[in-house]
Every structure is written in structure tokens, then in C-alpha cells.
Amino acid sequence: MALAAPAAQPSGPPLAAPPRETTASWPLADRVGYWLCWATGVGLCLIAGSIVLVMFVKGVSSLRLSLFVQSPAPSLHQSQAGGFLDPIVGTLIVTAIGIAIAAPMGVALATWLSEYRRPAWLARAVESAIEMIAGVPSVVLAIFGLLLFAHGFFGFLSQSASNGTVTGQSFLVAGVIMALLAVPLVAGATGEALAQLPARTREASYALGKTRATTIRRVLLPSILPGIASGVVLGMGRIIGDTAIITILLGATLKNEPVGELPILGTLRGTGSTLTSYVYNNSPAGEGNAPQKAYAAAFVLLMIVLALNALVTRLTGPRARRTDTRPRIWRLLPAGWASWSR
Amino acid sequence: MGVVEPLMPPPVRRIDVDRDPYIAPARQAPNGVALASRPGVETHTSSRVRERMAIESVWLAYGENWVVRDVSLPVRRGEVLALIGASGSGKTTLLRSLNRLTEITAGAGRSGRITLDGQEIHEIEVTELRRRVSMVFQQPNPFPMSIFENVAYALREGPSRRRRARRSQLEGEVRDALRRAGLHDEVADDLDRSALALSGGQQQRLCIARALAAEPEVLLLDEPCSALDPISTAVIEELIVGLRESVAVVIVTHNLQQAQRVADHVAFMHLGELVEYGSSEQIFQTPIQQRTRDYVSGAFG
Amino acid sequence: MPAAAPQYPSTQAAVRTDRRAEHMLGALAVGVLLLIALMLVTVAINAWPSFSANGLSWFGSGGNLVTQFEAMHTNIPLQGHELLYFRAWPLIWGTLLSTVLAVASALVISTLAAIFLTEFAPLSVRRVLEPVIRLLAGVPSVIYGLIGILVIAPWINDHLISNPRKHSVIYVVQLNGADLMTATLILTVMILPIMVAISAGALAAVPSSWREGSAALGVNRWRTIWRVSLRAARPAIAAGVVLATARALGEAIMLAMVSGGSPFAANPLDGLTFLFEPVQPLAATIIKEFGGDTSGAVAHTVYAIAAVLLFSAALLSFAGWAVKQPLKRYGIGV
């Protein structure tokens, strides 16, 4: 019949790939634009490369193992004495506090926005609020923290050792405000992950008679763990990299100075420094003039942040790509980083 | 009924009838016999019908798959050529190769010759070629600009760049194109409206006006009416027939009745091969090939 | 022995748990709103003394900021003025300058980079460029500041600022490479990643029917990008600009390190020297002037500056919402 294809398909004559449109035929103005685009792309790579190169060269040359285990010590020969053990511990403490508060809060908020959303005006308001928090400069958040914790009610969270006045500066305070930095990131990542879950997951659970709370707890959240994890890691990266909150809320003492007698609580209520404020203080902008130590600490800081970024890429990796419907280039921006609400 | 237009183009053509069993000759009909088919169609002798493009033994493939096999066709000014066939017959790919749109897809390969006014199209600079051979797509795709800007787009941005031409300089040509596309009366009052505010049929006519603005020599239409309602379809078919005089029109269509209404010559393709080529009457009323007969009568499609 | 039948809670108890969960989560949501309100109110209240002492001239210019801050630090008011006397115009001018210049440069560069990324870059280059942009986005601002003050500022000082130039302004201010140019340069690099990502996403989302239609009309790739794709991506690019502005406005540490030691209002009438004059944007001022004292004159001035920044952030947040509305219309899901 007419439908049958011819039996033997002869292979055709050799093909020529047709010449593609080249820029040779473009007018000069267009060609200039084309070359500018190339220059920009290459230039960006060069900039990033040189940043890494400078940090590597200067950082590794100043890096000594002893730096990791010694506390900062004042000395005439600034470049030789002391290390950044305390700042590293400080970074860990602040990040831990910040994430411990931000992760549950972010996940809870995103879950409420995704699954409950009643009343509608409240949902819109909360979305705007989260976006606003993401948009407020970290200095202003720091000032807010200062005002909140220095005056009165929350004074017990921090205290100056010398005359008992409340300074509003301590690890606890800094950690709490750092949480505000991380919440939009965690909430954004969780919200996106929840939005990408197919409706049948929820429908299947409801069809079995499960309540919404149970569905969330046992079905939805476990299945978006990679998304939550990526949000948490993003939040950690943001917290670790922030300096403004530390300089204002952590007292900028070289060593971690505990307040009070209790072992752990004392440290938490006391002042100290983190890697970021250590770098700042050792640079010409701070008091110290030990650029070598600043470079060394900055190098460590950069490696930590890059490792976290790589971890996020891994988490939002091949498995996630199948369900991610955003244009591929948008994955440059991790979920929630641009704090777009739906 | 005895009055048959020569099937074969003048002997300059490379369609070798003896070699290719699929095209049945009716070359006994003398040249210059008038075509008296549809009412209102002017009869034309071969001297009035000028060949614009020649497709000679063209093979097209995407990667490993042969999509078009050894097709040879003429495209003449003064007439409408319809490419019909089932899905996957390669007619759209053939159409797109005429203005080198197939190059945009990676992995496309071609063999054979396609010439525009005697010149191989690969030797013509591609933007110039596409100005001379314009295309209208299946889905109307007006740009997010005003009606005027849409039609003036090719004039402003095409190879004969007139970017800084003021509106008054272009207005005449824009209105002319709109008239040829049959849209002028409906939009003349406000050419600065957004093109996206028009109805589907109007948008498609806008696309046709846009394609006509730069005075192309050949107009390619890829199923232009398949997304439109019957009234818009009728309007567009009428203006296609009217365009015959000035441009050569090649139209790909799924709709056999549409092909009957507008086409002068019809080429039936199946699975990439050219099964039969002939005048409209010949294909629809007295098809020679069995496959053509089956397709035209609706046995498959 | 058959396994025991699973014990499901009764329906009523389950519904109660569900409702409790909903209420708790709703309370948390309300709590977030209250937090924002608290932040606005607290900052405003504590900023009030500075604003009320200076009135609208707070935003004006007058006198030397260095002496004004000194007065506040030492608690000795200036001649004929009260303790809270403060004229913030040089700071505001510095903020405006650095932000506007940085955003404008970033707009141009990011558009070119986004076009490159979506249209011209071969796949291998794209696979390098995407991590590069992620890297630039992830570098902490203190590291940008460190490189700025230890590498870029000295280079500019040695190679771009000649001695005659320094002498020409020496009676007013000292040029040492930490200046508007360095600050703008680094700020541009810091806000580039956001804008590139958003612009590239928007360009990639332009319907291919437009691109094909434009090509079929004989328009070359570059003009197609310029006239059609960029036009379609305009709302997204605008949203990117708003986001980048918010980022530039809020950058404190990097600017505190590289923008110069003195709160000086760079004078465009100085010609090219204008680029090499130090500036001190608002956010950087907070870092530099805050000394730990939470209730003195300095503190209230700092709170006032924070209030201005907070208000700007709120404005930009609203602007971002407004700019995103057309995006929803075109369905380009951002």
C-alpha cells in the first residue's frame, strides 16, 4: 500500500554541513558589539582567576600550621605572634547558633507559605517580609540587634565584664541576628523544593487519609531534604562571610573573652572574633598592620566559602536537574538567593 | 480535460524523467498551451512565468536521518506552489532549506543545489538571501512592538540598514506592505498600537506584511492558516492568490482543500521523496501515482 | 502470630494536631511580620533624637564631618552648635556616587556578559563561565576589601595618581588610592553576578519564535538580540537593577576598607581628580564610627544613619515588587 516505506533505503550522497552565519558579513558596529561580548566573558574569567590567584599566592605564603592552633596574641612583631584559633572557634560558634535558629524557622515559614497559606493577605505579607529581610543591609540588622539586646529586657544575653553595663555584644546576640541573614535563603530553597514536588505526592498522601501535618512531616519534608540542605549550606555560607554584624555585635576583642563563670554560657555571652573580623582588624583598615596574617586568614575563609559553594552545587546536582524547570542559566543563582517570591 | 499545462519545466531543468520513475511525464502536451482551470485565473504562457528558484536533487539530513531525498522542483514567479504531504514527509524541512533556516539547527547537512535567480544560495550572503526569500510561520509571531515597528523591522534592521530612517521616510512603504497584506484598512487609524493586541488572523496578516515590507522575490508560507479560524483563513487565502503577480509563493499546507483553492502547482511529498509534481488539477483530479491518489482521496494522511 | 494492626490516631485527634500545627506555623508567620515592625519602630525611635536635633538639615551639608564626629566622640559640642549637630550630605553624596556609578557600569557589563553567555559562548566556555560567576558571587566582602586595600589601592596610588595631582588638593584631602574609583570598581564586580544571572535567565527565556522570525526576515544575530531579545528581557533586567542597587547600598565592610579614610564629598568640578578623591558611603560610616557605646551622641547618629538605610531598603523592596509585575504578565517566571 501507499503507506509502506520503500524497502531498501539508499544512503544518500555525501553531505556538506552548510556554512553557518559568520560575523564576517556584519557591519562594523555589530562586529564591535560581538567582540565586546567576548571580551566581557573572558574578562570575567580573568577577574575571578586573579582573585583566586592573589589569595592563593599571598595566603599560602603566609600560612603556617601554627596559625591554626594558637590564639591571637598581642606582640611587637605582629606578623610572627599568635594565630587564629579563636577566630575559627568564633566562626564556628556564630554559624552554629545562626543556623540552629534559621533552619527550623526557614523551613517552617516556607512550609506554611506552601501548604497552608491562609489567610491570603497574611501569606502575601509574609512573603514580602521575607524579601524585605533579605534586602536589608546587614549593618542595619546589626544595629537592630544592638538596640534590641542592649536596652533592657534581653540584657542578660550579653554583659560587659567591667562595670556590668549591658553592651549588647556577645556571641549569642550575633548568632541570633545572623539567623536573620540565613532565614530568607533557607526559606527560599525550601519553598522552591516544595513547589517542585509533583501534586501527586501530596494527593497520594491525602488519599490515604493522612492529615496535612502528617503529610508534611513524613512525606514532603523527607523528600526535599536535598533542597533544605542546599538552603542551609547557602545560609551557612552567607553567615560565615558576613563581617558587618560581627564588628558591631561581637565586640571585636582579639581573643574570645567569656563573661561570667559558667563554662559554655560564659563564652556565648562574651565577646570575641571570627575569621572575618580577624581579617578586617589585621588589614590596614583595622588597628593591626599584619597583612600577612590577614591574607592567611582570608585564604582560609575563602577556601571554606568555596567548599560550601561546591557543596551546594553538588546538592543541587544531577538529581535535582531533572525536576528543576528553571532555565538552565538561572541555576547560577541558587534558590532564594535572589529572594524572588512566587 | 485535454487542456494541460506542460508538466515539465523547460529543459534547462535537471529533473531527469527517464531516471526517476516517480515522476510520470506528460510531456506530450505542447508548450504554451493555455491553462484554463479556475475562473479568474489569468492564463499565462511560459514567457510570463519566470523561474525564481530552482531546487535540484536536494538531499537534506539531520544527523543520521534523511529527511528529504533527491527532490527537484521549480519555484516560479506568478504562481503558487503548494507542498502537500503527510506529517514527516519533509515538506517543512524543504521549505526551510530555501532560506537557509535549516542551518540554525546543529547537525543539518545538505547535498544538491538550490539556486535563486541562477545563483547558488550558499554563495549569497545569508541576511541578503533571507530578505529576498521571506518566510511566514505557522504560529503568528509578531514582535512585542507597535504595528508600525513590526512592519518597519525588516526595513530598519535588514541588510540594507536604514536604522536611522525617520518614521516619515518609512511610512509609505509600511502602509504599502499593510495594503498588500490586506490589513491596512483595519489598522490604519492607529499604527502605534501594540501588535500583540491584534486578533490571531490580524497578527498573521501582520506577519505577512512584515515579510512583504522588504520586497522579497519569494515568499515562503509554512502552514500559515493552521492556527486560524475559517474567516481569517479565507481572507489570507485570497491575498495569497493576489500576491502571485509580484512574488513567487511556496506554501506548505496540510489542508488539501486549501491547496486546491490557492495553488497553481502542487508537489506531493511522502517520507522525504517527491512522489508527484503537477498542476493543481492534475494532482487533485487525475493523479498519476497510486500514492498520490490515496493521499488526495484521504486514504491516509 | 499476625502482626498487630497499626494503631492510627482517631480522626478527631488527628484533626486537632493538624489544626495545632497550622496555628503554630501561622503564629510564626505573624511573628515574622511583628519582627519587621519591631525593627522599623525600634530603629526609628532611637534615631529620632538625631533627626529632631538637626531637622531636615540632617541631610544637608555644612561644616566638616570629621570635627562633627570628633565632637560627638569627645562629648564636647562644637562652637555654637549642640552635641548632635550633624550634616550628612557628604556621606549621602558618597553613597549616591558609588552606588549609581557601580550600578551603571554593572548594567553595561552584565548585559554584555549575559548576551555572551546565552548567545555566543560555545558550550565549553559556558561551562567555565557559570562557575566563575558563582565564585564571584560567593567571595565574602571582606576579602574583596582586603584585595582592594592591599593590591588595588596601592596600584592606583602608584600608577594613576601623579604627584602634581596630589598636591593640587593637598590642603583639603589626601589622595592615597583608597578612593571613589577603587570603591566603584570593586563594587561593580560584587554586584555583577546577580545582574548577569538574572539577565542571562531572561534572555534564555525569550521565545524562540521571535528569534526565528527575526532571522527569517534577514536580520543578523546581533540586531536580533538588540532589538528583540533585550527588549523582551527588559522587565527582568530592571528587576536585576533594583536588586543590585539594594546590594550596593547595603555594602558596608568592603567600602569601609577601600573608599578612603575621610568623609569627604568628592567634587566633580575637580575634573579627573574627582575619581581619586575619597568618599565614605553611609553604610561604611556606621562601621567606622560605631565604637561600642550604645547610647551616646555617636550612637544616636549611627542609629539615624541606619534609619535612612532601612528606609531606602524598604523603598527598594517595594520598587522590586513593582518591577516584577510586568514579569508576571509575560509569564517569564522569575
Side-chain angles (χ1 to χ4, degrees):
Chain A
M1 258 299 277
L3 273 177
Q9 309 235 355
S11 59
L15 285 179
R20 317 213 33 186
E21 177 185 352
T22 56
T23 57
S25 53
W26 292 4
L28 182 64
D30 298 355
R31 258 179 292 166
V32 165
Y34 179 72
W35 293 124
L36 274 180
C37 284
W38 262 98
T40 316
V42 172
L44 280 181
C45 296
L46 287 179
I47 292 179
S50 44
I51 291 179
V52 174
L53 198 65
V54 164
M55 291 310 308
F56 215 82
V57 165
K58 302 253 185 178
V60 170
S61 65
S62 319
L63 201 59
R64 303 183 313 268
L65 206 53
S66 58
L67 283 175
F68 282 93
V69 293
Q70 287 177 359
S71 295
S75 130
L76 279 180
H77 299 288
Q78 265 300 304
S79 55
Q80 305 302 323
F84 39 72
L85 175 67
D86 279 34
I88 291 186
V89 170
T91 307
L92 288 174
I93 298 179
V94 168
T95 311
I97 300 178
I99 282 293
I101 300 177
M105 232 175 100
V107 171
L109 279 173
T111 310
W112 182 82
L113 279 175
S114 167
E115 305 297 317
Y116 289 99
R117 281 194 89 89
R118 276 186 321 186
W121 61 267
L122 186 61
R124 280 197 305 272
V126 169
E127 275 176 350
S128 310
I130 295 183
E131 268 200 47
M132 225 193 103
I133 296 183
V136 171
S138 56
V139 254
V140 177
L141 288 177
I143 295 289
F144 170 54
L146 200 67
L147 291 172
L148 203 58
F149 293 108
H151 295 167
F153 180 63
F154 291 111
F156 71 94
L157 286 175
S158 67
Q159 222 167 16
S160 159
S162 53
N163 53 3
T165 55
V166 175
T167 58
Q169 296 176 324
S170 71
F171 275 112
L172 279 176
V173 171
V176 167
I177 297 297
M178 285 295 199
L180 281 182
L181 274 190
V183 161
L185 291 167
V186 176
T190 312
E192 285 235 10
L194 279 174
Q196 279 168 12
L197 279 181
R200 56 190 146 97
T201 316
R202 297 179 180 86
E203 285 163 12
S205 178
Y206 296 146
L208 287 173
K210 298 294 175 191
T211 63
R212 218 180 328 206
T214 317
T215 307
I216 293 174
R217 195 158 46 95
R218 293 204 178 274
V219 177
L220 299 186
L221 289 185
S223 59
I224 61 168
L225 274 181
I228 299 182
S230 78
V232 165
V233 174
L234 278 173
M236 279 170 63
R238 183 101 192 265
I239 292 179
I240 290 181
D242 187 272
T243 320
I245 294 183
I246 301 295
T247 46
I248 294 188
L249 288 181
L250 203 49
T253 52
L254 272 185
K255 301 177 61 165
N256 294 342
E257 310 274 359
V259 159
E261 304 303 320
L262 306 170
I264 297 185
L265 199 54
T267 316
L268 291 180
R269 286 170 66 205
T271 60
S273 65
T274 63
L275 271 178
T276 48
S277 71
Y278 185 79
V279 173
Y280 180 69
N281 285 327
N282 277 313
S283 74
E287 311 105 15
N289 41 16
Q292 299 88 347
K293 290 203 282 191
Y295 270 124
F299 175 69
V300 173
L301 181 64
L302 187 61
M303 289 300 116
I304 295 179
V305 168
L306 290 185
L308 286 178
N309 269 3
L311 185 58
V312 171
T313 316
R314 198 85 190 290
L315 283 171
T316 56
R319 228 190 82 199
R321 266 186 208 135
R322 258 181 276 128
T323 51
D324 192 338
T325 51
R326 293 181 296 168
R328 192 171 171 268
I329 290 159
W330 239 320
R331 273 188 249 111
L332 276 185
L333 277 183
W337 193 73
S339 72
W340 297 116
S341 59
R342 243 153 307 287
Chain B
M1 212 49 162
V3 190
V4 177
E5 223 247 294
L7 258 187
M8 292 299 112
V12 174
R13 302 281 36 78
R14 290 205 27 233
I15 298 178
D16 189 346
V17 176
D18 296 326
R19 187 170 53 91
D20 191 340
Y22 290 141
I23 300 184
R27 50 192 194 291
Q28 290 78 22
N31 268 349
V33 175
L35 170 75
S37 47
R38 292 186 302 262
V41 172
E42 289 182 27
T43 60
H44 37 246
T45 62
S46 55
S47 56
R48 268 202 66 178
V49 174
R50 242 189 67 200
E51 179 178 281
R52 279 291 183 185
M53 293 187 80
I55 306 169
E56 301 170 10
S57 295
V58 165
W59 296 70
L60 293 169
Y62 284 122
E64 294 293 319
N65 307 316
W66 291 103
V67 183
V68 172
R69 307 160 176 280
D70 204 9
V71 170
S72 305
L73 285 174
V75 175
R76 304 198 198 89
R77 185 183 92 161
E79 68 171 32
V80 176
L81 169 67
L83 300 177
I84 62 173
S87 294
S89 53
K91 49 192 201 297
T92 305
T93 310
L94 182 64
L95 191 80
R96 287 166 150 253
S97 70
L98 291 182
N99 69 349
R100 288 172 66 181
L101 263 192
T102 42
E103 289 171 8
I104 295 184
T105 321
R110 193 195 91 171
S111 160
R113 254 169 75 88
I114 303 180
T115 60
L116 173 66
D117 281 344
Q119 196 183 5
E120 162 68 58
I121 61 175
H122 279 305
E123 289 158 24
I124 309 178
E125 203 269 302
V126 71
T127 54
E128 178 67 27
L129 170 74
R130 289 179 185 152
R131 184 200 65 75
R132 293 166 68 185
V133 180
S134 283
M135 189 162 180
V136 174
F137 295 86
Q138 190 172 347
Q139 291 285 345
N141 57 358
F143 300 133
M145 310 174 199
S146 69
I147 297 175
F148 184 89
E149 286 302 323
N150 261 281
V151 181
Y153 182 74
L155 294 171
R156 281 223 168 96
E157 305 295 340
S160 58
R161 189 81 54 74
R162 290 145 72 184
R163 206 174 332 146
R164 287 192 203 82
R166 271 188 321 227
R167 184 186 166 121
S168 49
Q169 295 169 310
L170 296 173
E171 185 149 355
E173 292 168 75
V174 167
R175 287 190 185 267
D176 208 30
L178 285 171
R179 263 182 226 110
R180 288 169 77 191
L183 191 60
H184 187 253
D185 297 330
E186 288 168 47
V187 298
D189 48 344
D190 186 9
L191 288 182
D192 291 319
R193 244 180 310 166
S194 164
L196 300 174
L198 297 174
S199 76
Q202 288 173 322
Q203 284 185 0
Q204 192 66 301
R205 275 179 283 155
L206 179 64
C207 294
I208 296 178
R210 187 173 68 186
L212 290 174
E215 311 259 355
E217 296 161 26
V218 181
L219 185 63
L220 308 176
L221 301 163
D222 185 2
E223 302 192 43
C225 303
S226 60
L228 304 178
D229 59 277
I231 298 180
S232 311
T233 305
V235 170
I236 290 185
E237 284 176 8
E238 208 177 296
L239 74 95
I240 290 177
V241 171
L243 284 175
R244 263 186 324 176
E245 292 308 306
S246 41
V247 291
V249 179
V250 182
I251 177 169
V252 163
T253 178
H254 257 128
N255 188 333
L256 291 176
Q257 288 75 30
Q258 178 175 81
Q260 269 184 295
R261 287 190 291 266
V262 301
D264 298 311
H265 276 97
V266 175
F268 170 57
M269 291 180 65
H270 185 58
L271 293 178
E273 292 167 342
L274 177 62
V275 175
E276 191 167 344
Y277 167 79
S279 75
S280 184
E281 291 70 42
Q282 201 250 319
I283 295 285
F284 287 112
Q285 277 144 28
T286 55
I288 297 174
Q289 298 290 320
Q290 176 65 30
R291 277 190 290 177
T292 319
R293 211 183 323 244
D294 291 332
Y295 181 72
V296 158
S297 62
F300 73 96
Chain C
M1 274 286 277
Q7 301 295 319
Y8 291 100
S10 72
T11 320
Q12 275 183 321
V15 170
R16 250 182 285 132
T17 326
D18 199 26
R19 211 165 284 156
R20 230 189 358 240
E22 183 173 354
H23 287 157
M24 278 199 320
L25 289 181
L28 180 63
V30 173
V32 167
L33 282 187
L34 289 180
L35 191 68
I36 300 261
L38 185 64
M39 179 161 56
L40 292 168
V41 164
T42 322
V43 174
I45 289 182
N46 281 285
W48 180 245
S50 181
F51 283 126
S52 73
N54 291 293
L56 273 180
S57 329
W58 191 95
F59 297 93
S61 66
N64 187 342
L65 272 173
V66 175
T67 57
Q68 287 164 17
F69 273 121
E70 204 182 304
M72 288 191 248
H73 279 297
T74 56
N75 248 318
I76 303 172
L78 291 173
Q79 196 86 357
H81 297 293
E82 55 189 338
L83 190 60
L84 281 171
Y85 179 76
F86 187 65
R87 295 291 181 263
W89 174 247
L91 308 178
I92 299 180
W93 177 236
T95 314
L96 279 176
L97 272 182
S98 54
T99 307
V100 168
L101 285 178
V103 170
S105 328
L107 183 61
V108 170
I109 301 180
S110 73
T111 307
L112 290 173
I115 295 177
F116 178 66
L117 194 58
T118 48
E119 304 274 346
F120 297 134
L123 191 58
S124 50
V125 175
R126 215 179 294 170
R127 275 206 222 112
V128 169
L129 197 52
E130 288 182 7
V132 157
I133 303 216
R134 259 196 295 263
L135 186 149
L136 287 178
V139 173
S141 46
V142 74
I143 294 187
Y144 275 118
L146 193 70
I147 295 186
I149 200 172
L150 287 180
V151 176
I152 299 187
W155 189 88
I156 291 186
N157 191 26
D158 295 333
H159 295 108
L160 289 183
I161 310 181
S162 57
N163 276 326
R165 200 188 289 280
K166 289 191 206 184
H167 281 303
S168 67
V169 289
I170 198 153
Y171 294 111
V172 187
V173 75
Q174 198 175 28
L175 300 182
N176 62 355
D179 50 29
L180 179 61
M181 170 175 277
T182 319
T184 307
L185 222 63
I186 304 185
L187 198 56
T188 308
V189 173
M190 286 176 81
I191 62 182
L192 267 177
I194 319 172
M195 297 192 67
V196 171
I198 295 184
S199 306
L203 281 178
V206 168
S208 57
S209 58
W210 284 340
R211 280 194 248 166
E212 219 178 27
S214 178
L217 289 171
V219 178
N220 70 33
R221 199 106 160 266
W222 178 257
R223 297 303 309 169
T224 304
I225 296 172
W226 208 250
R227 284 293 307 269
V228 177
S229 303
L230 273 187
R231 194 195 185 109
R234 259 198 319 217
I237 296 182
V241 165
V242 170
L243 209 62
T245 310
R247 178 85 171 83
L249 207 65
E251 179 51 48
I253 277 290
M254 187 279 293
L255 289 175
M257 291 167 91
V258 309
S259 57
S262 61
F264 176 77
N267 191 353
L269 295 176
D270 282 343
L272 208 53
T273 315
F274 150 73
L275 287 172
F276 300 116
E277 290 166 359
V279 290
Q280 190 169 304
L282 285 169
T285 310
I286 297 185
I287 301 268
K288 289 196 129 143
E289 297 296 335
F290 179 70
D293 165 32
T294 59
S295 51
V298 175
H300 284 293
T301 312
V302 160
Y303 300 152
I305 298 180
V308 170
L309 283 176
L310 186 57
F311 182 65
S312 320
L315 265 186
L316 280 173
S317 196
F318 178 71
W321 171 86
V323 159
K324 268 194 281 175
Q325 295 315 305
L327 275 179
K328 296 201 173 95
R329 193 164 17 112
Y330 285 131
I332 303 178
V334 176

